[in-house]
Amino acid sequence: MSDTLPPADRLRFKPYKGPAAGWGALRAVTDHWFESKQPFKNLYAMVKTNQSNGFDCPGCAWGESPESGMIKFCENGAKAVNWEATSRRVDAAFFEKYSVTELLQQDDYWLEFQGRITEPMVYDRQTDHYKPIRWDDAFALIARHLNDLESPHQASFYTSGRASNEAAYLYQLFVRAFGTNNFPDCSNMCHEASGVALIESIGTGKGTVTFADFDKADALFLFGQNPGTNHPRMLEPIRDAVKRGAQVAVFNPLKERGLERFQAPQDPLEMLTQSSSPLNTAYFRPALGGDMAAVRGMVKWLLRWDREALASGGEAVFDHDFIAQHTDGMEQYLAMVDATSWERIEAQSGISRDVLEQAARIHRDSKRVIICWAMGITQHKHSVATVQEIANLQLLRGQFGEGAGLCPVRGHSNVQGDRTVGIADEPPAALLDALEERFGFTPPREPGYNVITTLQAMVAGKIKVFLALGGNFAQATPDTARTHEALRRCELTVQISTKLNRSHLICGHEALILPCLGRTDIDEQADGPQGVTVEDSFSMVHLSHGQLRPLSKQMRSEPAIIAGIAEATLGKTPVDWSALVENYGRIRDLIEDTLPGFDDFNARLKTPGGFYLGNPARDRQWHTESGRAQLVSHALPATLVDAETLASGAKPDLVLQTLRSHDQYNTTIYGLHDRYRGVHGGRKVVFVNHADLERLGFQHGDKVDVVSLWRDGEERRVSDFTLLEYDVPAGQAAAYYPETNPLVPMDSYGDGSFTPTSKLIAIRLEKSSAPKRIA
């Protein structure tokens, strides 16, 4: 079954000593370019990536520099383009050759490597094979299931962050006209805590900075992120910041090469001389989940210095004029800071008081500060509180405006845009009011299901139909065995997809695969080629035009597929769905009619680079209930490991964080290598500190089973993983996902966010019977 797949190497581990990017990135890009089987077409596509009249990178949501240039993609962007723009096909002949049971035996890398899905397929349970189905018949099958439900709330509609604004808007309009707010989406699994926290603190769930602000900041604080692997284009502004003398303070338990040294592929001198640039001026290594305590320690130092300055008549550290004019809650919060002991802060953060003083001085001595964070912050039980602790720090010093602010670094390329245009299980009343006024129907007002509550409802038999607009829901979600069981309980599962993945094989009683166009594909509709829009992490909205001819005429755009489902289910109400798809400008007109910030939507897209939606908090306008920013007070968690689990007598060997390899984006595996961590030829590894290996009686290269500990006492186990001695802080471990998603309990999620706690899993290691296999 592996005749088209490059042969897997034996697992090898050799610490990487080179810089991030540079020659290593160019070699990787070239390899993936040729693996696409259409290298010259893909080279053309790659130079159109992120260009005016080109297409938006299907990778991360990092924004674009306004300067023009031939190359505006990174290594991971090139991998994403080549991965999508392959000539390999998954068609009727493929599914005739392989049964679903046979395909389930393959790993995720093999599945997606097979190529683009080129025709709609329906699962035949009797033969255990997918077989072709006509588009109209597929739409009719979905409509029959939806219209036969006792309640619209028995269906749930997932959205991947790669869906365009036009597709997502049509999707939410259809689903709300159908009668439910059941909108689980990929935000629920990554940055939901950021949105929940920031809406309460500053009145908007989005970051407040623009791309240009990075050139004006005196200090950047980077919490819980690895840009070298997850959003490499961010390395350029970090490098530029260090070069011009700004401070870059990193908080990350792991020493990530992309945060240490960078060789710019577009810098001839660095490439020719094999030199590189530093990417930080200070590197702090907190305990997993200890970032909130670390920020509390910084504030405690700043508070001490502010009081000393005021007592001596010196210059205040806090911006008291800003606090008085713009904020509420300072007294309660600072009382909480005073009540938090240094012993507690040091124990929970894993960082000493003296080292936290160094971090606090960097913030104090910088006039303009940007704080960035990613999933190392948001995938904990106390993530909302941690994000609000970061917001409190910025509010105390008035760090909002030019060159300063808050920057949650999003993942998928349009995950922020999808939320902007209405993908939300708890939609704002203003959106529902606008839909009701514009379209003449009464949208549902009750909250819908998110990812976790969708899974819980599936397990309870309350969800009968599951429809996924992109993504790989079966693998991206926690507690893999229970998730798969939940999906199989559905009467119908529908996957709108570009490439084969495991979600297509975890079938409901009936199942459909509907092949859609990707970002690289030309989208031809009745009025000609269409462009779609996306919103990046900096609230810039821009147009994306596919460049390559689709592999099959059977592939349809996401808006066309949604319109087909909607029309089969609801008829031509509340809109003429087919007419909207003839020209996506008509969809954008509806977005303009119902959403703030989109005035003259179609006209403003003609500006190269798109337009800025704006952010009220950047302008010091606070859309909170009080009209003022809120310093929200939280006590530090009593314990980072689940208290009920500890109370049951369970004693974890280590706490584990799941993370991506360098040959990966979300659940898409581009290869079996992690260049920056020195791992080649395999993914079933656990990174462990030398002292912990000795303490637990293991050696580098030992095979182990990893068992997670949770209050329900159920066994969650992954087997035959290789232990690698690595520079991980004592007591911690790290491993790749989705391979370790089975260890994350479905019921372990963030307070107020429902985000899986994938960055802190209590585990036990057990020796495996499998032999060592490591070079």
Side-chain angles (χ1 to χ4, degrees):
M1 292 182 73
S2 59
D3 52 334
T4 62
L5 189 67
D9 297 330
R10 182 184 179 193
L11 178 63
R12 293 176 289 115
F13 176 64
K14 182 179 181 181
Y16 180 71
K17 298 182 179 179
W23 290 109
L26 290 180
R27 283 192 294 269
V29 168
T30 302
D31 289 344
H32 283 269
W33 177 40
F34 281 106
E35 278 183 9
S36 71
K37 301 302 181 184
Q38 51 180 25
F40 296 107
K41 287 185 178 180
N42 283 10
L43 178 60
Y44 169 77
M46 285 160 58
V47 298
K48 300 292 286 185
T49 306
N50 297 324
Q51 303 285 353
S52 181
N53 296 317
F55 67 93
D56 189 77
C57 178
C60 75
W62 186 254
E64 300 305 323
S65 168
E67 291 83 17
S68 61
M70 277 293 292
I71 298 176
K72 298 188 76 172
F73 59 84
C74 64
E75 176 184 348
N76 272 16
K79 290 176 182 176
V81 170
N82 283 306
W83 200 245
E84 179 176 288
T86 177
S87 64
R88 290 183 290 269
R89 300 166 180 252
V90 174
D91 52 17
F94 175 88
F95 284 114
E96 186 176 357
K97 182 178 180 181
Y98 298 122
S99 69
V100 167
T101 299
E102 289 172 323
L103 291 172
L104 278 168
Q105 306 310 307
Q106 299 303 310
D107 62 26
D108 296 310
Y109 175 41
W110 187 95
L111 291 173
E112 290 213 27
F113 190 86
Q114 302 313 301
R116 293 289 297 274
I117 303 166
T118 57
E119 54 189 307
M121 309 297 295
V122 62
Y123 181 54
D124 185 336
R125 187 165 293 275
Q126 288 187 332
T127 64
D128 194 33
H129 284 258
Y130 274 98
K131 63 182 183 181
I133 185 172
R134 293 174 62 251
W135 275 106
D136 286 347
D137 292 337
F139 294 151
L141 177 63
I142 298 170
R144 175 172 60 80
H145 275 275
L146 290 176
N147 288 325
D148 284 349
L149 295 174
E150 296 176 2
S151 164
H153 305 309
Q154 292 179 316
S156 200
F157 300 84
Y158 179 72
T159 317
S160 159
R162 280 180 60 175
S164 68
N165 289 328
E166 291 75 12
Y169 185 83
L170 275 191
Y171 198 45
Q172 66 84 31
L173 180 61
F174 157 57
V175 172
R176 292 196 165 102
F178 177 65
T180 187
N181 285 316
N182 288 349
F183 278 114
D185 78 299
C186 61
S187 288
N188 300 150
M189 294 181 282
C190 54
H191 266 288
E192 193 67 46
S194 299
V196 171
L198 294 181
I199 286 171
E200 183 180 7
S201 291
I202 62 172
T204 175
K206 299 181 183 183
T208 68
V209 302
T210 67
F211 193 97
D213 287 325
F214 283 83
D215 287 336
K216 300 170 184 175
D218 301 305
L220 306 177
F221 280 75
L222 313 178
F223 281 87
Q225 64 178 133
N226 178 17
T229 287
N230 299 331
H231 23 266
R233 283 178 291 160
M234 187 179 180
L235 299 181
E236 289 276 3
I238 296 174
R239 169 183 179 254
D240 293 344
V242 175
K243 280 195 167 185
R244 62 180 169 78
Q247 297 294 305
V248 176
V250 173
F251 282 77
N252 195 313
L254 297 182
K255 281 278 193 177
E256 301 287 11
R257 183 46 45 92
L259 289 168
E260 294 179 301
R261 288 193 291 128
F262 175 61
Q263 186 179 78
Q266 298 186 56
D267 186 323
L269 182 61
E270 287 193 356
M271 295 295 284
L272 290 173
T273 61
Q274 287 283 27
S275 59
S276 59
S277 303
L279 284 188
N280 72 84
T281 57
Y283 209 117
F284 306 99
R285 304 183 69 182
L288 284 176
D291 301 270
M292 180 182 177
V295 177
R296 178 69 55 88
M298 291 174 61
V299 173
K300 200 170 180 72
W301 275 113
L302 294 170
L303 176 58
R304 171 181 168 178
W305 296 329
D306 185 71
R307 287 171 172 166
E308 290 173 351
L310 292 177
S312 64
E315 184 178 354
V317 173
F318 294 158
D319 189 336
H320 289 277
D321 288 341
F322 174 90
I323 293 169
Q325 183 178 350
H326 292 283
T327 74
D328 286 332
M330 182 190 74
E331 292 82 4
Q332 299 94 316
Y333 173 64
L334 294 183
M336 180 76 71
V337 173
D338 279 329
T340 309
S341 70
W342 274 114
E343 292 76 17
R344 183 84 182 282
I345 289 171
E346 289 180 315
Q348 196 162 105
S349 71
I351 303 175
S352 72
R353 176 178 178 173
D354 291 343
V355 173
L356 288 174
E357 180 184 6
Q358 178 190 354
R361 286 186 185 278
I362 293 172
H363 202 289
R364 182 196 67 182
D365 296 342
S366 302
K367 183 178 179 181
R368 297 171 173 172
V369 179
I370 293 173
I371 300 184
C372 306
W373 67 91
M375 287 186 285
I377 293 297
T378 62
Q379 291 185 325
H380 291 279
K381 178 175 173 57
H382 60 294
S383 290
V384 170
T386 301
V387 173
Q388 290 181 328
E389 193 79 14
I390 292 170
N392 290 348
L393 169 59
Q394 294 291 78
L395 288 167
L396 286 169
R397 298 203 59 234
Q399 292 291 339
F400 290 85
E402 187 176 67
L406 297 167
C407 182
V409 181
R410 309 284 180 177
H412 259 141
S413 60
N414 197 43
V415 63
Q416 183 160 302
D418 288 351
R419 185 58 60 88
T420 297
V421 300
I423 300 298
D425 55 276
E426 295 190 34
L431 169 65
L432 301 181
D433 292 342
L435 294 177
E436 185 167 0
E437 180 179 352
R438 175 62 180 80
F439 299 107
F441 72 92
T442 303
R445 298 277 169 167
E446 61 269 41
Y449 291 139
N450 57 41
V451 165
I452 294 297
T453 53
T454 286
L455 290 171
Q456 292 170 338
M458 284 180 179
V459 169
K462 296 179 181 178
I463 294 293
K464 307 296 184 183
V465 176
F466 177 76
L467 199 154
L469 179 60
N472 186 0
F473 186 83
Q475 291 301 86
T477 42
D479 219 339
T480 307
R482 288 187 72 196
T483 288
H484 290 188
E485 175 193 356
L487 283 165
R488 289 184 171 117
R489 290 190 177 197
C490 294
E491 293 177 0
L492 174 69
T493 52
V494 182
Q495 306 288 336
I496 301 171
S497 308
T498 57
K499 301 190 78 175
L500 183 67
N501 63 50
R502 196 160 301 276
S503 291
H504 304 122
L505 312 177
I506 311 300
C507 305
H509 183 75
E510 293 189 271
L512 288 167
I513 303 173
L514 304 181
C516 67
L517 301 178
R519 201 72 60 76
T520 59
D521 298 316
I522 296 172
D523 183 355
E524 191 80 38
Q525 300 297 336
D527 285 0
Q530 301 296 307
V532 296
T533 59
V534 297
E535 179 188 349
D536 64 28
S537 285
F538 305 127
S539 298
M540 290 293 296
V541 178
H542 47 276
L543 200 59
S544 176
H545 290 277
Q547 302 295 312
L548 302 177
R549 289 289 171 192
L551 290 183
S552 164
K553 293 182 179 179
Q554 286 269 60
M555 298 157 69
R556 294 192 180 184
S557 73
E558 289 178 329
I561 294 171
I562 295 163
I565 296 171
E567 195 155 301
T569 306
L570 302 177
K572 293 187 180 296
T573 57
V575 293
D576 185 336
W577 305 95
S578 299
L580 292 178
V581 176
E582 291 174 356
N583 187 320
Y584 296 170
R586 297 169 187 168
I587 305 173
R588 290 189 284 272
D589 286 339
L590 298 180
I591 294 174
E592 178 181 340
D593 289 346
T594 51
L595 293 171
F598 288 94
D599 299 339
D600 300 320
F601 192 178
N602 283 300
R604 292 163 75 193
L605 288 175
K606 296 176 183 178
T607 304
F611 63 91
Y612 178 48
L613 271 178
N615 186 292
R618 175 183 172 78
D619 299 327
R620 301 186 172 190
Q621 299 172 15
W622 320 103
H623 291 176
T624 61
E625 288 187 12
S626 67
R628 297 165 66 86
Q630 303 295 311
L631 284 95
V632 185
S633 301
H634 297 279
L636 295 183
T639 176
L640 296 176
V641 176
D642 179 64
E644 289 187 37
T645 299
L646 295 176
S648 70
K651 295 182 179 180
D653 292 336
L654 301 163
V655 288
L656 173 78
Q657 66 163 314
T658 71
L659 41 71
R660 300 169 179 161
S661 76
H662 192 61
D663 256 358
Q664 174 180 4
Y665 193 76
N666 291 342
T667 59
T668 297
I669 313 299
Y670 300 128
L672 299 178
H673 310 306
D674 190 351
R675 186 168 76 248
Y676 296 158
R677 297 192 184 102
V679 179
H680 300 273
R683 293 178 52 81
K684 295 178 66 174
V685 299
V686 184
F687 300 100
V688 182
N689 182 284
H690 171 75
D692 288 323
L693 288 176
E694 286 194 340
R695 173 176 63 86
L696 297 171
F698 292 105
Q699 295 181 348
H700 173 78
D702 279 353
K703 286 279 192 173
V704 296
D705 289 0
V706 185
V707 181
S708 67
L709 309 178
W710 183 243
R711 62 180 68 169
D712 60 12
E714 292 188 18
E715 181 173 276
R716 295 174 176 86
R717 175 186 299 264
V718 294
S719 300
D720 299 335
F721 276 62
T722 299
L723 292 175
L724 298 181
E725 183 180 317
Y726 199 77
D727 184 14
V728 180
Q732 300 182 26
Y736 301 129
Y737 89 104
E739 287 83 357
T740 49
N741 276 359
L743 300 175
V744 186
M746 187 182 295
D747 300 323
S748 180
Y749 47 78
D751 295 333
S753 71
F754 285 89
T755 300
T757 57
S758 301
K759 290 295 186 285
L760 197 145
I761 310 161
I763 62 168
R764 183 177 70 245
L765 300 179
E766 297 181 359
K767 286 190 175 181
S768 170
S769 58
K772 284 187 180 182
R773 287 193 183 91
I774 184 172

